[in-house]
């Protein structure tokens, strides 16, 4: 069964308000800051699925696996043990007990993560983990903001709020380069565009505008303005006019 065909588990009737906010979009479009801001404003949990793909990639690189050898990556995809912390004010990611929050943001991981993410076995493994986290959060009576590339299309297609963030490539590159401590903006833009091309072109769960997603071009807005737009969408779902 392909990851895309895996059925979504049902939400139990006593799960409380099952608010899932799916935030998809291109690299550097402001997904993480927006998702964390929305989760903090609404008291929701937060799941960064990109960090999970990065963590598996980091583990493959440390093992010396050739990330362009899809069969090698697939064969090891089940091995690393990932734990994602879902507090939006301090999200964490551990692999086999090791905190990898910093090393998953290096240029080596940036350039290796797209080929690893294109391997179906990696996606299936993470899809199960992602759905389990959403399911457990909802079952505990809490909502969650989930950010990635395929959240509204594959991971949780029934999310009541779906947004797709994009931004002008130059704006994305300058934001990302600031976040990474002043890396070269032109090189950062090339790296973002290369990742976008692979993420959008892959056969399994490509980056797409999901059915029902609201597209927001964040270029002209401040972070607070984008957060406010998504919060308004969530409030409209919670209390329809
Ligand atoms: O959001 P990010 O830049 O941290 O994501 C890192 C990579 O992970 C990105 O190039 C694509 C991949 N990814 C994915 O394929 N599916 C997701 N749901 C999240 C991220």
């Amino acid at each position: 069964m392909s990851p895309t065909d895996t059925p979504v588990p049902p939400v139990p009737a006593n799960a409380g308000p099952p608010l899932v906010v799916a935030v998809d979009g291109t690299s550097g479009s402001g997904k993480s800051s927006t998702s964390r801001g929305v989760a903090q404003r609404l008291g929701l949990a937060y799941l960064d699925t990109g960090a999970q793909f990065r963590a598996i990639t980091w583990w493959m690189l440390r093992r010396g696996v050739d990330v362009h050898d899809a069969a090698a990556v697939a064969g090891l995809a089940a091995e690393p043990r990932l734990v994602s912390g879902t507090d939006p004010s301090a999200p964490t990611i551990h692999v086999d007990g090791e905190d990898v929050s910093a090393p998953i943001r290096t240029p080596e991981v940036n350039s290796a993560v797209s080929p690893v993410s294109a391997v179906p076995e990696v996606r299936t493994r993470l899809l199960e983990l992602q759905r389990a986290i959403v399911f457990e959060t909802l079952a505990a009576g809490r909502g969650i903001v989930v950010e990635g590339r395929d959240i509204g299309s594959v991971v949780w297609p029934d999310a009541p709020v779906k947004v797709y963030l994009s931004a002008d490539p130059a704006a994305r590159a300058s934001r990302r380069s600031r976040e990474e401590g002043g890396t070269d903006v032109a090189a950062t833009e090339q790296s973002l565009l290369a990742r976008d091309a692979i993420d959008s072109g892959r056969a399994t769960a490509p980056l797409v505008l999901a059915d029902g997603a609201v597209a927001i071009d964040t270029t002209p807005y401040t972070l607070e303005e984008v957060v406010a737009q998504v919060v308004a969408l969530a409030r409209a779902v919670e209390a329809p006019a």
Side-chain angles (χ1 to χ4, degrees):
M1 192 184 302
S2 86
T4 316
D5 297 332
T6 314
V8 178
V11 175
N14 64 352
L19 182 60
V20 178
V21 179
V23 180
D24 290 305
T26 52
S27 299
S29 57
K31 286 191 308 295
S32 296
S33 310
T34 301
S35 301
R36 290 176 64 178
V38 170
Q40 285 174 306
R41 284 271 296 274
L42 296 174
L44 307 178
Y46 161 70
L47 177 62
D48 177 0
T49 64
Q52 298 176 323
F53 284 96
R54 288 171 177 275
I56 286 213
T57 303
W58 171 86
W59 184 92
M60 296 283 169
L61 290 172
R62 197 164 75 162
R63 278 286 186 105
V65 176
D66 173 3
V67 295
H68 297 285
D69 180 346
V73 171
L76 291 167
E79 281 205 23
R81 206 167 33 84
L82 303 189
V83 178
S84 294
T86 58
D87 174 353
S89 59
T92 55
I93 179 98
H94 287 80
V95 184
D96 296 338
E98 186 172 343
D99 178 354
V100 293
S101 313
I104 61 168
R105 308 283 166 195
T106 57
E108 291 70 33
V109 172
N110 285 346
S111 52
V113 65
S114 282
V116 172
S117 312
V119 174
E121 287 79 359
V122 169
R123 302 207 69 86
T124 303
R125 161 94 207 279
L126 289 185
L127 179 61
E128 282 167 10
L129 182 63
Q130 290 153 5
R131 285 183 174 166
I133 292 169
V134 175
F135 186 72
E136 281 160 20
T137 306
L138 297 179
R142 196 168 181 213
I144 187 164
V145 180
V146 189
E147 75 153 285
R149 302 292 188 292
D150 60 341
I151 311 305
S153 56
V154 174
V155 177
W156 214 265
D158 290 339
V161 179
K162 298 185 194 182
V163 294
Y164 180 94
L165 303 186
S166 63
D168 173 278
R172 296 197 274 138
S174 73
R175 274 183 206 157
R176 202 30 89 81
S177 130
R178 265 198 312 276
E179 284 163 14
E180 289 171 354
T183 46
D184 176 74
V185 180
T188 304
E189 182 170 337
Q190 284 316 307
S191 158
L192 290 177
L193 292 174
R195 267 194 290 147
D196 286 352
I198 303 181
D199 296 341
S200 304
R202 68 176 171 236
T204 308
L207 171 63
V208 289
L209 177 67
D211 279 350
V214 175
I216 303 174
D217 179 343
T218 64
T219 314
Y221 301 117
T222 63
L223 170 61
E224 259 323 300
E225 288 169 335
V226 182
V227 169
Q229 290 182 43
V230 181
V231 165
L233 291 171
R235 292 209 164 120
V237 163
E238 285 183 314

